[in-house]
Amino acid sequence: MHFDQQLVANTDKHCLDKDLWIKFKSNTSTNEDETFLLKLKLIVKDEGGNLYPSVSGVLMASKEPHDYIPNAYIQAVAYRARQRNAAYQLDAEDIQWPLDSQVKQAYQFVKKNMRVYGMKNPARVDIPQYDMQAVFEALVNAVVHRDYSIHGSKIRLHMFSDRFELFSPGGLPNTISVDTLEMRQITRNELLASLISRCRLPSELIQSNRNYLIDKRGEGVPIILANSKKLSKKTPKYQLIDESELLLTIYAAEPPSIED
């Protein structure tokens, strides 16, 4: 059984909030809550028939997932320099909500802390440091594909004056490598991906043709690479660190020159 479908032993089914899981219901869903939760594997049975929330259930339908799955949150830090140094810290936040809310809040953190340059062409044109659709896709990929079985390791979002770094716990599944990420599609957490694919894309985040947070066609990495390179003229870089953590670096766009 995949880790995201396993039960979380130090919980009970009452830690799931109906206000959070009701969004997964459709017109054809059963009206019986327990049957519905079992069908979606938000709760599962142990060998004795006792009901417990699954890992995915806690991550998507508990108000405080990190209370039950430590480090199931995003550590966001913005620095005003190029190095990781507390003396240059501008902003910091531990984003501790259900995963769909973590994506939204982390997106707003980046938008709030990045610089937006201006130039006239002939009217004013705003040039952000980062393409926000690329940032959005990177955040969704991080929460969906990270390895939640690794204890003591969280998603880290670190912003610097010249780049954006996103650390995601877990190596690459199966035969995927950093060189084939753009062309391959394998999901570590299939249940989790299925649930997030049912979450509506808020209109205040990005303008997109799709209606839900995740795109099942595997377009996330190509969007990250293409949109970021178009803006900054530098291709983002994926690195595998000690086979246990994936680092994505997106380079910031340079400010317009005096001539511009």
Side-chain angles (χ1 to χ4, degrees):
M1 183 183 294
H2 292 287
F3 182 78
D4 63 329
Q5 299 179 29
Q6 295 180 22
L7 63 84
V8 181
N10 58 331
T11 62
D12 59 58
K13 64 180 182 179
H14 301 295
C15 81
L16 302 187
D17 192 308
K18 188 170 184 176
D19 290 338
L20 296 175
W21 58 254
I22 196 70
K23 60 178 172 286
F24 300 121
K25 276 201 168 188
S26 67
N27 294 332
T28 59
S29 298
T30 176
N31 291 324
E32 212 287 310
D33 288 352
E34 188 171 294
T35 302
F36 173 75
L37 293 173
L38 281 166
K39 185 175 181 179
L40 258 67
K41 298 181 181 177
L42 293 171
I43 59 173
V44 292
K45 291 182 179 180
D46 67 4
E47 294 179 352
N50 302 303
L51 295 174
Y52 292 91
S54 65
V55 170
S56 292
V58 167
L59 292 172
M60 295 301 300
S62 171
K63 288 184 178 179
E64 302 288 347
H66 63 280
D67 284 349
Y68 311 104
I69 304 175
N71 298 305
Y73 66 94
I74 300 174
Q75 177 198 72
V77 186
Y79 300 93
R80 67 171 181 268
R82 296 185 178 185
Q83 64 264 40
R84 196 172 283 102
N85 187 327
Y88 301 114
Q89 182 175 302
L90 291 173
D91 195 7
E93 183 177 357
D94 285 343
I95 300 172
Q96 302 170 329
W97 304 101
L99 296 191
D100 53 324
S101 295
Q102 286 188 27
V103 170
K104 301 170 195 174
Q105 196 163 337
Y107 177 96
Q108 297 295 350
F109 182 90
V110 175
K111 190 173 182 179
K112 175 180 65 172
N113 285 288
M114 74 173 178
R115 296 176 182 176
V116 179
Y117 307 112
M119 61 178 287
K120 291 188 176 181
N121 188 30
R124 177 184 170 87
V125 176
D126 288 334
I127 304 174
Q129 280 188 303
Y130 305 104
D131 179 271
M132 290 309 295
Q133 185 175 4
V135 169
F136 171 79
E137 300 290 351
L139 292 169
V140 171
N141 281 353
V143 301
V144 171
H145 298 300
R146 67 158 286 187
D147 189 341
Y148 288 93
S149 69
I150 299 177
H151 295 282
S153 188
K154 55 194 167 287
I155 293 174
R156 293 179 289 151
L157 186 170
H158 292 176
M159 297 177 66
F160 302 89
S161 61
D162 64 337
R163 70 196 186 280
F164 161 101
E165 293 183 346
L166 190 62
F167 296 83
S168 181
L172 294 171
N174 297 333
T175 57
I176 287 185
S177 68
V178 291
D179 296 323
T180 60
L181 271 173
E182 186 177 6
M183 297 168 282
R184 300 284 303 279
Q185 184 183 22
I186 296 178
T187 302
R188 172 184 278 115
N189 305 307
E190 293 184 0
L191 174 58
L192 196 54
S194 175
L195 293 170
I196 291 183
S197 71
R198 297 175 180 227
C199 296
R200 286 276 177 182
L201 175 63
S203 58
E204 69 271 15
L205 290 189
I206 62 170
Q207 299 301 313
S208 174
N209 293 328
R210 72 175 190 257
N211 297 316
Y212 299 92
L213 286 183
I214 197 171
D215 171 37
K216 293 184 177 180
R217 296 171 296 184
E219 295 178 351
V221 173
I223 288 173
I224 293 166
L225 297 177
N227 289 19
S228 299
K229 184 178 180 180
K230 182 178 179 180
L231 181 64
S232 69
K233 308 299 186 291
K234 295 180 180 179
T235 302
K237 181 168 65 174
Y238 283 97
Q239 297 172 264
L240 194 56
I241 302 173
D242 295 332
E243 300 295 326
S244 62
E245 193 170 35
L246 184 66
L247 166 61
L248 167 63
T249 302
I250 299 179
Y251 299 99
E254 296 288 342
S257 65
I258 295 175
E259 289 78 9
D260 293 332

